[in-house]
Amino acid sequence: MDLAVLWFVAIAVLWAGYFLLEGFDFGVGMLLRVLGRDDAERTALIHTIGGVWDGNEVWLIVAAGATFAAFPLWYATMFSGLYVPLLIILLALIVRGVAFEFRGRSDDPRWRAGWEAALIVGSAIPAALWGVIWGAVLRGLPIGPGHVFTGGLGDLVSWYALIGGLTTLVLFALHGALFLTLRTAGASARRARTVAMWLGPVAVVLAAVFLFRTQVHRGSTATLVTGVVAVVALLGAWLLSRARTAAWAFTLTGTGIVAGTSTLFLALYPAVLPSSLDPAYDLTVQAASSSPYTLTIMTWVAAIFLPVVLGYQAWTYWVFARRIGGPGLGATDHAAPG
C-alpha cells in the first residue's frame, strides 16, 4: 500500500478510536446532573471515568500529531480554516480537565456545583462541535489556489454541519448512558438505562439523516455499506437497551460510532479537504502528504510503539473495570445489569 494512503487510514483509525473512547466519557460528563441526584451519586459517576478520561484524550493528540507529520499541508489548511471552532474545543477540554481536578478540592456545595457545571459544558461543547467541524469539512471549505482558505466563520455553518453537531452530541450522550449502565449499580444504573431508551431513537434518526446526506453528497458503495452498518448498529443498541442487555447495547453504539467515522473518511477519500469553490482546488491525500522518507520513518516508529501504547491502555481499562456503586461508592461484580 502507498504510505500516504496507509497514513490516511491510520488517522481515520485514530479518530474512530478517539470518538469511541472519548465519546462515552463526554456522555458521562453531559449526563452528570441528569443521572446524579446527589453529591455521592455524582461523585460515583465521575469515578467511572476518573482513571481513563485523560488517556482517551491521547487519541486526539496522536491524531493531530500524525496529521501534522504525515500531511503537513492538510494540517495547516485545516487549522487555518477551522481555527475558531478548534480553539473553542481546546478551551472546553481545558476547562473540563480542570473541573475533574478541582471539584473535589472543597466540600462547599456551591464550589462543587460550579465545577460540575464546567464539566457538563466542557463535555457538551466538544461533543457538538466535532460533528459541526466534520460536517463542514465534508460539505467543502472555501479553499482556493495554493490550497489557501479564503472564507470566514460563516462558511463553516450549514444545516448539514448543524445536523452533524446534533448527531455527535446525542450519540455521545447515548454512548455515555449505556456505559453507565455497565459501570454503576442501583438507581444510577436504572436512570442511565431510562435515558438511553429515550436517546436511542433520536440518535438513530439524526445519524440516518446525516449519513444519508453524506451519501447523496459524496457517497460510494463503501460509504453506503458503512453508513447502513452505523444506523443498524444504533437501532440495535436502542432495542437491546430496552431489553436490558446493556453490554451488547454498549458494544453496538461503539460499532455505530466506528462505522460512522469510517463513512466520513471514506466519503473524503481521495481528498482530505474538499474545496467548495472548485473540485480542482481539492486538497488530496497525495498532494498533502510528507515525503516518502518521512512516512517510512513514521511507519517504523508506529510499528514499534503502537502495540505498547495499546497494551497499556487496555491494562488501564482492566484495572478500572469494577462497577461503581451509588452512595458510598460501593463496587459490585462485573456483570451487566439485568
Side-chain angles (χ1 to χ4, degrees):
M1 181 184 291
D2 183 280
L3 286 180
V5 177
L6 176 64
W7 275 99
F8 178 78
V9 173
I11 290 169
V13 171
L14 289 169
W15 276 103
Y18 172 66
F19 287 149
L20 173 67
L21 298 176
E22 188 85 312
F24 69 73
D25 65 49
F26 279 153
V28 172
M30 287 187 284
L31 297 173
L32 185 64
R33 281 272 176 172
V34 175
L35 301 179
R37 300 300 170 83
D38 56 33
D39 183 75
E41 288 187 352
R42 289 191 289 274
T43 299
L45 297 183
I46 291 173
H47 273 61
T48 64
I49 56 174
V52 298
W53 69 267
D54 49 354
N56 294 341
E57 290 187 353
V58 171
W59 287 77
L60 174 62
I61 296 170
V62 176
T67 304
F68 174 77
F71 300 98
L73 193 54
W74 181 10
Y75 183 93
T77 305
M78 181 173 68
F79 272 75
S80 63
L82 301 171
Y83 180 80
V84 172
L86 289 174
L87 178 61
I88 293 172
I89 288 175
L90 176 60
L91 293 175
L93 292 177
I94 291 172
V95 169
R96 182 171 178 264
V98 173
F100 276 118
E101 298 297 328
F102 275 58
R103 176 187 176 273
R105 298 296 180 90
S106 172
D107 293 328
D108 182 0
R110 290 178 297 178
W111 171 275
R112 292 202 168 209
W115 286 114
E116 286 167 5
L119 178 55
I120 293 167
V121 173
S123 298
I125 287 177
L129 280 185
W130 283 128
V132 172
I133 285 173
W134 283 105
V137 168
L138 284 163
R139 177 174 174 263
L141 300 177
I143 299 172
H147 306 302
V148 176
F149 180 82
T150 60
L153 189 60
D155 295 298
L156 307 180
V157 181
S158 65
W159 74 267
Y160 173 62
L162 293 177
I163 289 293
L166 286 174
T167 300
T168 51
L169 181 71
V170 175
L171 179 55
F172 292 163
L174 171 63
H175 199 40
L178 289 172
F179 174 78
L180 289 173
T181 64
L182 292 171
R183 294 284 282 114
T184 59
S188 294
R190 290 192 294 272
R191 285 194 291 268
R193 185 183 298 113
T194 300
V195 168
M197 289 192 300
W198 281 101
L199 290 175
V202 181
V204 171
V205 171
L206 287 172
V209 172
F210 182 66
L211 294 176
F212 174 77
R213 183 63 183 85
T214 302
Q215 182 67 28
V216 171
H217 183 50
R218 302 186 59 85
S220 64
T221 302
T223 58
L224 177 61
V225 172
T226 55
V228 169
V229 169
V231 174
V232 170
L234 294 178
L235 179 60
W238 174 56
L239 295 174
L240 288 176
S241 68
R242 292 174 60 87
R244 301 190 176 188
T245 312
W248 281 108
F250 178 71
T251 300
L252 284 178
T253 56
T255 301
I257 289 171
V258 171
T261 308
S262 301
T263 303
L264 304 186
F265 277 85
L266 287 169
L268 278 180
Y269 186 81
V272 290
L273 284 179
S275 172
S276 60
L277 303 179
D278 189 329
Y281 300 143
D282 285 358
L283 184 58
T284 65
V285 169
Q286 298 299 331
S289 68
S290 294
S291 68
Y293 176 77
T294 300
L295 295 178
T296 300
I297 296 298
M298 290 177 61
T299 303
W300 278 107
V301 171
I304 294 171
F305 290 103
L306 184 59
V308 177
V309 174
L310 292 178
Y312 174 77
Q313 189 159 32
W315 176 78
T316 302
Y317 273 93
W318 174 256
V319 169
F320 292 100
R322 291 188 303 167
R323 188 192 301 278
I324 304 296
L329 305 182
T332 62
D333 58 82
H334 293 252

